[in-house]
Every structure is written in C-alpha cells, then in structure tokens.
Amino acid sequence: MKKNLGFGMVAGIALAFGLSNSFAADACTDAMGHSGNGTSVTKNQTGSISDSPWGYELWADGGSNSMTYYPNGTFSAEWSNSNDFLARVGYRYGDNGEGVDHKTKHYTVDYKYTKNGHGSYGYIGVYGWTVNPEVEYYIVDDWYSQPNENYIGAKFGEITVDGETYTIHAFLRQQEPSKSGTSTFLQIFSVRKTPRQCGHIDISAHFNKWDELFTGQKATLKGSKGGGSTTLKFGRVTEVMLMNEAGGNSSGTVDYTYFNMSDNGQGSVVQEPDPITRAPFGGSAIAIPGTIEAENFDNGNEGDSYGGTNTPADAEYDAEYRGSDYSVAIVDGGTGKAVGYTAAGEWLEYTVNVAQAGEYNIQASVSNGSGAGSIKLSIDGTEIGSLPFTGTSNDWNTYETTTGSATLQAGEHVLRITIEDANTNVDYVSFSSVGSTALSDRIHLNVSSANYAVFDLQGRSLGHVKVPAGANISEILSAQFKNAGVYMVKQGSRLQKIRVSH
C-alpha cells in the first residue's frame, strides 16, 4: 500500500543524544519529549534531520496531512480523509542505491506514542524497503484495524522476542506504487499478537528470522490483484524507520514522544520453542483402511508436523486438547472435535500405515460457512487428490461429505491435509478399500440439534429423526426404528449411510 518516494541519502553518522545503545532505558516510563525546534511538512517529502543520523518521510494519497519532526527523532502527525498516510523517521540509505546488508548492523528502536483515529487498515511499528529483491516490510506493534490475511497474507511462521510472539506473513502487491515506480513486489509482515504503545523492538531479530524463513523458494501468495507466484527472499535494506500508517478514508493523530533508534543496538533474547519429538499422536501410526481424525495430527513443532496457522486472537476454541505448544485451533463440531479457524495454505500431517496396496475410496467431513472450497491430500510429498465441497452461508455447524479416490502403496507413510480455502473446518478423512461398503455410525453431530430424513436402501421414506446436539445418530435410529441394519439419512442435500446394530 505504499510509496513512490523521492530524494536524499542520509549520512550514517553516529551521534550521541545522551542515550545508550543498550536498551536498559525504559521508553514506557522514561521521559524524553520533543526537543528543539520542530519542522513541519505538509506535502509528500523526504529529507534528513539536521545533526542526526536519521531521515524523515511524509507520504499520503489524498486528504489533508501534516508531520512535524524534531532533532531528537520524535515526531507528530495528523491526517484527515486520507486513502493512505505514512509518517516515519529513521535510517535512510537512498531509495535507488545498493542498500545495506542488514547482517553488518544490529538495528533496534525504543519508542513511546499516543494515537487517535480510525482506518480500514493501519500499522504502527517499523517499516522499510529492500532492494535485490524489492521488498516492502513491516514490524507491526499496533494498528488502527487489526491486520488480517486479506491485507497481509498467510502465516509462514512466528518469532517470540521482546516479550511477545509475532506471526510472520507474506503478501504480493501486484502492479502497485513502489520505490521503483509501479511494480509487483513482496511484502513481509511480523505482527505482534497483542498491541502496545511503547517498548523496545529488536529489529534485526526479525530480519534474521525472515532470512531463515524466506530462502529464495517459490510460493503462491494472496495478492492485491488476485495473488500469484513469487520468490520469497529478504533483500538489502534501503531504509529502517519507525512509522505510522493508516488508510481507507482514514483520519487521526499520532505523537511519538520517545524515540531512540540504533544501528549498533543490543540484541534481545529470541525465545525458541521447546523441541517436540515428531511422533504419531497417541503413539502409533493411523491404520488405513480407517479414519483419520483431523485434530489428531502428529506431535511436533510448527513447521514440522503442521504449519500455516493464523488463528484469530479472539477465536474461541479448545486450547487444552493439544496444549499450549500448538497453534492449531481445535473446535467442537462434526463427530466431536474438528480443526477450525483455518487459513488458506494451513497444513497438518499424520503418520499412517497402509495395510495393503491398492485403490481406496476417500471420504472427508468438512464445513465452511464462507462457501465453496477444497482440501488437498498428499502422501510423502506427492499429491493424491483434491476434494471439493459446496460449503454454506454462515453455517459452520453443518458438515458435508466430500469424496474421492486414490491408489496407495502399502507401508508407513506421511499423509498431509492442506487447507485450500480459509475458514474450512475439517472433521475427519477416512479411507476404505474399493469394493468395500463405507458405512458410518459417526454422522455429523452438529453443535446445534438437527432433523434428518430417514430412508431404507431402496430409497423408501421411513420418517424423520431429531438428533440433539452431541448425540450419536446411530443410537437415535436404533431407539426409533428398533431394527438393526443400514439406513440412509439426509439433511438438506447431504446423504449418508448409517449402520445400526443392537
């Protein structure tokens, strides 16, 4: 959402402002305030701040806007009815230069600010660009509207540093304003899980994590014009700045009263997750033929047995089922538990043991109140099928069965389920040998009660049953119709066979 900019390389002069490169100082409690004479800017402009190593920039698309910066790096800004507004202060190395290898520096910033305003999107934190390749990046500590994947893309990982976990995302801007004019470029985001208005950011810790995650691999990303494939790589920085951005007919004010940015700062402790040994959930591989419960993915760290999660901060789910080491959202629904609040590209892996090589029928139980979509299945890294579903409108309690088939080899393998469309709940995936009759006594037990039409195998109507929330439909059929055997039950357009035994 951003910025084609102008002039000026700021000299990297190390000056003393009475502040240590250490972050022993506490920006949240220590006083600084504006010092010296402020300089006001009311149009799109870049430049250097006299007697400091820093530069400033104001960039806006529409509206009435201004920024006032001070010799100690503090600044304030206000804007009204702006499509996109940015004000920032920090290191600038020239928009079209060769950039700086961030590994030769250690960037940090301590800050404090107050804000008012609104916007359909908005990021407060650290901002900048790189060259080779051209990348726009953000470290987001606060916002005007909570970031979501429609603007920042799917999650690729996370980092825990400076007292909180940040989720890391990638997005593709397609033929949008950029440092080089109008171009297609990668955006990288680190987004703090809980917002704050003061503190310390170890900027280089994020740069190093991005280097670890984005190694030059190809990926298909969400984008500003439908998305597409791009190379994931962080480049050489041309600016590292503390910034405020707000957009979408936005109005507001911001006042940074504490600012201390360094390119030779003290690193923070990056908390690595405790290693979790990769192993099947429950201790043994899941048998095929059989049923794979989506919530019972393999034990392991994120990126090992699962990945791509982006669970909303306000999501309500069963955090105890897999414990605090896992970021997959387990919800009540389907036949008991399901994986919910999913992101496009989210994946889960399961160790399975195929009893015999051959052709298998596949059934998956899914729901999506956002509409149609699909899930993808792969074995040992090779895709075996994509299972489409119709979805519903704002109803995640009604699960449907989607089917397919695949040829499997005997022995132990790793099955991966990939969510193709966000907000897809997955209850289970079952495999049965071709030629066998796939029956179930596990039909979708909705969170709310539901009515089902009941038929015999010749299609003759036998009546209706009401299944209370959480009940087993096989037991309901047994109680009402008395006879053991196979029944067909239907809710809406969804039909399934149910075995009843006594």
Side-chain angles (χ1 to χ4, degrees), residues 214-443:
F214 304 125
T215 59
Q217 72 271 37
K218 289 281 189 181
T220 299
L221 304 180
K222 285 182 175 293
S224 61
K225 292 181 171 66
S229 178
T230 192
T231 300
L232 302 182
K233 184 76 174 175
F234 190 62
R236 296 171 64 89
V237 296
T238 59
E239 61 178 89
V240 182
M241 308 185 83
L242 188 68
M243 70 94 196
N244 175 96
E245 178 177 7
N249 193 31
S250 177
S251 298
T253 64
V254 69
D255 188 11
Y256 280 92
T257 57
Y258 195 106
F259 175 88
N260 182 26
M261 181 175 281
S262 174
D263 62 1
N264 187 30
Q266 178 179 333
S268 302
V269 174
V270 178
Q271 296 174 264
E272 298 294 341
D274 293 333
I276 303 172
T277 301
R278 175 70 182 263
F281 181 82
S284 58
I286 301 169
I288 292 179
T291 298
I292 298 160
E293 298 286 356
E295 66 272 18
N296 294 341
F297 57 93
D298 283 359
N299 296 330
N301 291 106
E302 183 167 8
D304 185 16
S305 65
Y306 70 97
T309 61
N310 188 23
T311 304
D314 59 352
E316 296 182 0
Y317 61 96
D318 185 353
E320 295 182 359
Y321 186 81
R322 293 304 298 259
S324 60
D325 291 330
Y326 295 89
S327 59
V328 177
I330 309 299
V331 299
D332 293 328
T335 58
K337 299 288 186 186
V339 172
Y341 293 104
T342 57
E346 183 172 340
W347 56 269
L348 307 114
E349 289 188 340
Y350 310 78
T351 302
V352 299
N353 189 13
V354 180
Q356 185 175 352
E359 187 80 5
Y360 285 81
N361 291 318
I362 307 170
Q363 288 187 341
S365 175
V366 299
S367 73
N368 192 323
S370 300
S374 63
I375 62 172
K376 183 172 68 178
L377 304 180
S378 59
I379 291 280
D380 300 332
T382 299
E383 183 176 341
I384 62 171
S386 180
L387 305 180
F389 55 83
T390 58
T392 62
S393 177
N394 294 316
D395 180 7
W396 277 267
N397 293 332
T398 299
Y399 284 70
E400 64 180 280
T401 299
T402 175
T403 61
S405 63
T407 300
L408 305 181
Q409 300 301 314
E412 190 167 285
H413 304 279
V414 173
L415 170 75
R416 174 179 285 199
I417 300 173
T418 301
I419 309 300
E420 298 279 74
D421 300 272
N423 305 312
T424 299
N425 288 11
V426 182
D427 180 11
Y428 65 82
V429 176
S430 65
F431 290 81
S432 60
S433 299
V434 169
S436 66
T437 302
L439 303 174
S440 177
D441 61 0
R442 307 158 22 83
I443 192 156

Side-chain angles (χ1 to χ4, degrees), residues 123-143:
Y123 314 114
I124 301 174
V126 173
Y127 172 87
W129 289 81
T130 74
V131 292
N132 299 320
E134 185 177 45
V135 176
E136 184 181 35
Y137 69 84
Y138 295 80
I139 302 171
V140 182
D141 264 27
D142 195 9
W143 45 80

